Amino acid sequence: VGTTLSLDGAATPSASAPVGTTIANTTWNFGDATPTTTGTSTSHTFNTTGSFNVTFTADDSLGSNNTITRVVR
């Protein structure tokens, strides 16, 4: 509780995406009912104990997205 985590995500379009496709948006969801944040790097402080599903999502300029989730305890 009260420990701040620094998180770094990276995103590139799929190799099969058309040339010129870019990453349009990235978001972090911390699984603790706090607002999501945007950007590839962020920090977050969990104010309660427990396990949290932290999710990083990248949306490309064609509307496709990819998500990865990790459990933080």
Side-chain angles (χ1 to χ4, degrees), residues 27-29 54-59 64-70:
T27 57
W28 291 93
N29 182 317
V54 176
T55 302
F56 177 73
T57 302
D59 304 305
S64 295
N65 66 46
N66 198 358
T67 299
I68 187 168
T69 302
R70 295 290 185 255

Side-chain angles (χ1 to χ4, degrees), residues 1-4 45-50 52 73:
V1 175
T3 299
T4 299
T45 303
F46 292 93
N47 293 314
T48 59
T49 59
F52 303 95
R73 295 187 176 139

Side-chain angles (χ1 to χ4, degrees), residues 9-25:
T12 57
S14 166
S16 62
V19 173
T21 304
T22 60
I23 298 300
N25 188 48

